[in-house]
Amino acid sequence: MATAHRLAANRFDLIRLALASAVFAYHAIVLSALAPLSGLERAWGHVAEIAIQGFFIVSGALVAGSLVRAQSLADYAGKRVRRLYPAYATVILIPALISLLMGGNPGGVANYVGANLVFLNFLSPDLPGLFEGNRFTEVNGALWTLKIEVMFYLCLPIIGWVLRRMGRAQWIALVALYAAGEAWRHYVPVLLDHPLAPVLARQLPGQMAFFASGIALWQVWDLARAKPFWFGAAGLALVLLSALHPWLEPLRGAGLAGLIACAAFLPGPALNAARFGDISYGVYITHFPILQGLVMAGAFAALGYAAGFLLSAVGVIAASYALWHLVERPALRPSSHYRKVASNSEQD
């Protein structure tokens, strides 16, 4: 199917920024210890979980489109590396350098850098001398999803090949992929009696339903653009059903995909959130260490929570724009949709 006509304006940049901001808000509440183990913390934890699932749906749609437009697998891989890795490596190396300057153990810093640069954050989440007195000591607890993103990028060419081979039956494959992901996510903690079972359940197989929902959204892109209200109504119904009973929770991914499509394609102004730079990725990968640093410096204790949240928001926005203009944008091709700051948010 031709894809050039799919590049008209949408609101995916704004959607991703909103999802990143929701995760930032949750971590601000948790890391600042505003209301430890309270209903507020649990409620925002649920919001952050849904936001991350929304991220995976958006990624599934936009990266599927990127694969279709790529001239080769090498072209596809190059675009993914340039979009993801330079900024990711930057947020790994800067805290490591700060740790060294503060007298941190070089061996511990080396372990952190080595593990995190290859997305194995769980092997070395802490840095010597940083955040040791905070409620949580992880340098960047938001990065666990990047490993899942990379694994999806690796799997997508295979998924795409299978879908092409199946032709009209490709929807059977997508439904099977969705069902298998939900089965993994829900039944691994039940069937596997191990402390790490919940962590294992939320790794890539357990998130595949959301990526599959995104791939499906790419497949019906033109229909979603033409009928956004239909997608929104169906998505809202599925999301509400998913909240009624745990057995219905697997409907959430499909429902979120419908709501995202509706928000992206509803008539009205495009609300281009990337006009001055696409900072959604920067917000996501910089907010955690910035919050940790402010907590370590005593900003929340000295200024109060309201001022602390405002200061952290300003810091995250400033860091995200700096990351975009100094690292992300220079790493992209001149033809990239991000660099052009076009009126659409289609990822390239």
Side-chain angles (χ1 to χ4, degrees):
M1 180 183 293
T3 60
H5 65 287
R6 297 189 179 196
L7 303 183
N10 57 60
R11 302 184 187 90
F12 278 106
D13 286 329
L14 180 62
I15 292 169
R16 287 185 302 156
L17 183 58
L19 296 174
S21 299
V23 178
F24 163 55
Y26 167 63
H27 285 144
I29 292 170
V30 171
L31 297 179
S32 68
L34 173 62
L37 305 178
S38 67
L40 176 67
E41 194 170 276
R42 289 191 297 272
W44 272 100
H46 190 58
V47 170
E49 178 187 15
I50 293 174
I52 289 171
Q53 293 166 354
F55 259 121
F56 291 151
I57 292 169
V58 172
S59 183
L62 301 185
V63 178
S66 180
L67 176 62
V68 169
R69 294 191 303 278
Q71 298 179 4
S72 64
L73 283 180
D75 180 42
Y76 162 77
K79 289 190 289 186
R80 301 273 57 78
V81 170
R82 283 190 294 272
R83 183 68 188 104
L84 184 80
Y85 201 73
Y88 176 85
T90 300
V91 301
I92 297 300
L93 295 175
I94 289 178
L97 178 60
I98 293 173
S99 176
L100 283 176
L101 293 175
M102 294 178 62
N105 173 20
V109 174
N111 288 336
Y112 172 84
V113 171
N116 283 268
L117 284 181
V118 293
F119 301 99
L120 299 179
N121 318 91
F122 63 94
L123 292 180
S124 184
D126 303 336
L127 273 170
L130 286 185
F131 317 140
E132 292 174 350
N134 290 8
R135 181 185 179 191
F136 299 97
T137 58
E138 292 88 345
V139 175
N140 201 332
L143 297 185
W144 68 272
T145 63
L146 274 297
K147 173 176 79 280
I148 296 174
E149 282 277 335
V150 170
M151 292 175 67
F152 171 67
Y153 295 166
L154 295 174
C155 293
L156 183 60
I158 300 172
I159 295 171
W161 179 83
V162 171
L163 294 180
R164 290 192 300 273
R165 295 282 294 179
M166 295 190 70
R168 294 181 179 179
Q170 63 183 287
W171 287 101
I172 297 175
L174 281 174
V175 171
L177 197 63
Y178 186 109
E182 286 299 277
W184 179 279
R185 187 164 70 98
H186 289 280
Y187 288 111
V188 163
V190 176
L191 300 177
L192 182 62
D193 184 17
H194 193 278
L196 293 179
V199 176
L200 183 63
R202 70 175 187 170
Q203 300 309 306
L204 178 61
Q207 306 293 344
M208 187 55 79
F210 305 105
F211 288 115
S213 297
I215 297 171
L217 176 55
W218 171 255
Q219 299 285 2
V220 297
W221 190 275
D222 295 331
L223 180 60
R225 182 183 295 282
K227 306 289 185 181
F229 290 105
W230 290 13
F231 277 75
L236 180 60
L238 290 174
V239 168
L240 291 177
L241 283 173
S242 74
L244 292 179
H245 194 279
W247 288 0
L248 298 176
E249 188 183 336
L251 297 175
R252 184 194 294 169
L256 288 176
L259 291 177
I260 287 170
C262 181
F265 298 126
L266 271 178
L271 302 174
N272 185 7
R275 181 174 300 278
F276 304 107
D278 183 5
I279 65 168
S280 58
Y281 182 41
V283 169
Y284 188 80
I285 64 176
T286 66
H287 75 268
F288 201 100
I290 288 174
L291 284 165
Q292 286 283 66
L294 289 174
V295 171
M296 180 180 174
F300 286 89
L303 303 175
Y305 288 105
F309 292 147
L310 179 60
L311 182 61
S312 62
V314 171
V316 168
I317 292 171
S320 299
Y321 273 112
L323 192 65
W324 165 256
H325 288 288
L326 298 177
V327 179
E328 295 179 73
R329 187 177 184 275
L332 298 173
R333 289 176 176 172
S335 60
S336 169
H337 293 280
Y338 292 112
R339 290 199 64 168
K340 291 178 178 179
V341 197
S343 60
N344 65 79
S345 61
E346 180 67 26
Q347 181 163 253
D348 198 2

